[in-house]
Amino acid sequence: MKPSSVKHGEEVQQSRHDGLKWAAVVALLVVAVVGNTYFANIGLLYRVLGVVVLCAIAGLIALTTAKGRDLVELAVSAKKEIQRVVWPTRPETIQTTAIVLAAVVVVGLMLWLIDTLLGWAMSGVIG
């Protein structure tokens, strides 16, 4: 029973630091935006590199939070789920695409015919 209480204590400790981590993330993003504006006279390449580096650091800090770990866990499980999907074969894909294209052409022709008939009818009424 003691290990679960230790784990719970670690989770509580982690959640206390998560607020500080999110504050650091926001601060880094603010520094990136303000710094990009403040150093407008510096070359674009250096400003872009600075923003990318600060955003990468902010992203790494965000991934160490509870929500960040949940996001990583979601991405891993999504990758596993995609690997389990049975993808259609090339002939199945071509056949399905041909059916959809044929249906689009048929519906398009029907709409064109209805539009033409209604146009003739309205010109007959209006005169």
Side-chain angles (χ1 to χ4, degrees):
M1 197 117 164
K2 186 138 182 144
S4 64
S5 64
V6 170
K7 183 173 179 164
H8 182 265
E10 288 174 6
E11 290 175 5
V12 170
Q13 190 68 11
Q14 288 290 338
S15 65
R16 285 186 193 151
H17 294 304
D18 281 356
L20 293 174
K21 289 177 184 178
W22 285 114
V25 167
V26 170
L28 284 170
L29 294 177
V30 168
V31 166
V33 171
V34 171
N36 188 37
T37 306
Y38 182 74
F39 294 110
N41 56 348
I42 305 281
L44 179 64
L45 175 66
Y46 298 117
R47 288 186 294 147
V48 168
L49 286 175
V51 169
V52 167
V53 167
L54 287 173
C55 288
I57 293 169
L60 290 174
I61 293 172
L63 287 176
T64 63
T65 63
K67 289 185 190 257
R69 286 188 300 276
D70 289 345
L71 179 65
V72 170
E73 184 180 326
L74 175 68
V76 169
S77 64
K79 183 179 178 183
K80 287 179 185 176
E81 191 65 31
I82 286 174
Q83 291 172 344
R84 281 188 262 178
V85 172
V86 178
W87 297 100
T89 63
R90 184 175 178 89
E92 290 173 337
T93 304
I94 291 172
Q95 182 181 15
T96 304
T97 303
I99 291 170
V100 168
L101 288 175
V104 167
V105 168
V106 168
V107 170
L109 287 173
M110 288 174 45
L111 290 174
W112 171 78
L113 181 63
I114 291 170
D115 181 53
T116 303
L117 292 175
L118 288 175
W120 286 342
M122 290 308 291
S123 12
V125 170
I126 295 174

